[in-house]
Amino acid sequence: MSMSTLKELAVQYATKQPKQVDALTEKAPILDALPFDEASHGLWNAYEDLSNIQGAGFVEMNAPLPVIAADADLKKVDLAIMGGEIEVPEDKARMFGGKEQYFSKKMDAILRASGMAAEKKIIYDNFRAFALDHGAALSAGAETDACYSILAVRFEPGVTCGLYSPEGFKRGSLLDSLPINGGALYKNAQGVLVFGMRVKGYFGIQIADPRTVAAIVNINADNVPTAAQVDDLLAMVRADSADTKLFMHMRCKNMLNRYKAGDGQGGGSLQTLPATKDLNRTFEAWNGIPIVASYNFLEGAETAVALD
């Protein structure tokens, strides 16, 4: 079973507004990299949580075969709504040449903000929360409430992935746009005559295996994860370069530069080529696992976590 990114889904479904996805993911690199599976039942997804798995084994010729089995609990994940409403007063709409022109000029900014908000929720309410709830977290040692996190996520179809509903794409866009009140004027809560529009899509996150998400928390400039901790983080999720990514804030990524720019802590040395003026102090992968840096992580504002 293959998964698709939002941009790949846009090619398939968003034929009327193909550029919408570019604005949605412009400032949300994790959302851009997230692979999605189609939800099994429109607005929710059913999956089996396997346990007590007994696999096949070798036996002597003509000997009885061992029992193979896998217990399964049927579980359900509800999709959430990514969307919102926007209004414009009647007179302002006229100044912009009409409500359509006004909403069109605002839509890219709205989509960028929507993508950033969705990504922040995925970071903290899904991946980071799951790692902490399931004991899959390491501490870099900071004890103040001015911390960063690093997340490792291994994506697997039907197990750990994004979810989408084709129901949200029926009008040819990733986020369906619909005029409020049929496009006619109405009074808002403040009694002002306005035109309105709402945008809406149905998406979700599924994490069905605790061996696919892990975190390093309590990171700051004085408490940078050791190289061994990052290696252990990847081992916790059974990382593979084909399906695993490291997520972190850019400042957190910069802290790891010490392991490339040798500073007496086991790092390498900087290299520049005679033909270039570019001094490259950073790296894009750790032992082959791609790093995705996002400014939608809190910037040194996470609360220190006490781990058991």
Side-chain angles (χ1 to χ4, degrees):
M1 182 187 301
S2 62
M3 298 185 286
S4 302
T5 64
L6 284 179
K7 288 184 178 177
E8 290 168 338
L9 291 174
V11 172
Q12 181 178 359
Y13 292 107
T15 54
K16 292 183 179 179
Q17 299 186 49
K19 295 184 179 180
Q20 193 182 61
V21 68
D22 295 329
L24 186 68
T25 60
E26 181 179 350
K27 300 295 183 181
I30 294 175
L31 187 63
D32 189 25
L34 192 67
F36 284 80
D37 255 351
E38 182 177 341
S40 61
H41 294 78
L43 300 184
W44 57 277
N45 189 63
Y47 70 93
E48 286 189 321
D49 187 7
L50 298 179
S51 61
N52 192 28
I53 301 173
Q54 301 178 49
F58 287 100
V59 296
E60 296 294 331
M61 195 66 68
N62 299 318
L65 292 174
V67 174
I68 56 175
D71 296 335
D73 293 326
L74 187 63
K75 294 191 175 181
K76 173 186 173 185
V77 176
D78 290 323
L79 273 63
I81 295 173
M82 182 193 298
E85 299 178 357
I86 180 173
E87 295 177 337
V88 57
E90 178 184 12
D91 295 330
K92 181 181 287 189
R94 287 180 176 173
M95 292 176 60
F96 275 82
K99 60 182 183 295
E100 292 82 5
Q101 287 79 1
Y102 177 84
F103 291 143
S104 178
K105 289 180 181 292
K106 298 291 185 181
M107 189 50 60
D108 278 1
I110 291 170
L111 290 172
R112 280 194 295 272
S114 299
M116 293 165 66
E119 180 168 289
K120 185 174 182 179
K121 185 175 181 65
I122 291 169
I123 290 169
Y124 288 102
D125 292 359
N126 296 110
F127 295 146
R128 187 175 183 272
F130 186 91
L132 292 173
D133 289 345
H134 288 77
L138 306 172
S139 176
E143 297 180 353
T144 63
D145 293 342
C147 300
Y148 294 92
S149 295
I150 295 175
L151 302 174
V153 183
R154 177 171 56 84
F155 297 103
E156 183 177 339
V159 180
T160 296
C161 57
L163 297 171
Y164 73 92
S165 171
E167 293 295 319
F169 302 150
K170 285 188 174 180
R171 296 167 63 91
S173 60
L174 285 178
L175 292 182
D176 177 46
S177 302
L178 187 68
I180 298 174
N181 197 35
L185 281 169
Y186 64 93
K187 283 187 179 182
N188 65 10
Q190 290 73 42
V192 178
L193 284 170
V194 297
F195 297 103
M197 183 178 67
R198 72 103 174 102
V199 293
K200 181 185 293 187
Y202 301 99
F203 300 94
I205 298 292
Q206 176 175 295
I207 308 173
D209 187 343
R211 298 170 299 179
T212 59
V213 178
I216 301 178
V217 297
N218 303 338
I219 301 169
N220 62 20
D222 296 322
N223 296 270
V224 178
T226 65
Q229 282 184 311
V230 181
D231 292 341
D232 284 345
L233 177 71
L234 295 176
M236 290 168 70
V237 300
R238 304 184 178 189
D240 185 292
S241 59
D243 53 24
T244 309
K245 287 183 171 57
L246 284 164
F247 300 137
M248 64 192 74
H249 192 284
M250 179 60 76
R251 290 191 185 276
C252 194
K253 181 183 176 185
N254 292 343
M255 294 176 191
L256 298 181
N257 285 346
R258 64 177 60 188
Y259 299 116
K260 177 179 179 180
D263 60 355
Q265 301 188 46
S269 59
L270 288 172
Q271 293 184 353
T272 58
L273 300 176
T276 181
K277 296 180 180 179
D278 183 17
L279 182 63
N280 186 3
R281 295 189 64 249
T282 189
F283 49 91
E284 303 305 321
W286 185 284
N287 290 343
I289 307 301
I291 296 172
V292 180
S294 171
Y295 290 108
N296 294 317
F297 278 87
L298 295 175
E299 187 168 359
E302 294 178 5
T303 301
V305 180
L307 301 181
D308 296 333

